[in-house]
Amino acid sequence: MQDLAPDAPVRLVGPGLTAVDVLISLRWHGHHGSVLGLLRQGWLPLSHLPRAVPPVSVDLPEGVGLPAALRRIREAARTALAHGQPWQAVLDA
């Protein structure tokens, strides 16, 4: 960022927290140029829930592989939704 002109246009790929951190750092270092966020899928990020919810635990035994862990997390999210809980509660766990 030190070699970036203060008015240079910047493109950030992805709407995640890293992009937010980069934007804050740019402004902190005096950047005032345009910043454009590019979203790979074309979707806007989802907003946070309006209130905190208790986490829903997921059974992830030690040594479970990534595909199996993803299946368990998705199943837990479906179960949470079926019981009126938001899927975000699973990720919070």
Side-chain angles (χ1 to χ4, degrees), residues 17 46-51 88:
L17 292 177
L46 298 174
S47 63
H48 289 275
L49 295 174
R51 59 178 170 71
Q88 293 92 331

Side-chain angles (χ1 to χ4, degrees), residues 18-38:
T18 301
V20 173
D21 290 341
V22 170
L23 179 59
I24 290 169
S25 293
L26 285 167
R27 297 301 190 226
W28 179 262
H29 288 94
H31 183 267
H32 53 82
S34 67
V35 177
L36 176 67
L38 303 172

Side-chain angles (χ1 to χ4, degrees), residues 1 6 10-11 13 15-17 22 30-31 47-48 52 57-59 69 71 73-75 79-80 90:
M1 287 188 212
V10 173
R11 306 298 177 255
V13 178
L17 292 177
V22 170
H31 183 267
S47 63
H48 289 275
S57 65
V58 180
D59 181 30
R71 279 192 299 275
I73 290 168
R74 286 180 172 161
E75 180 57 36
T79 301
V90 174

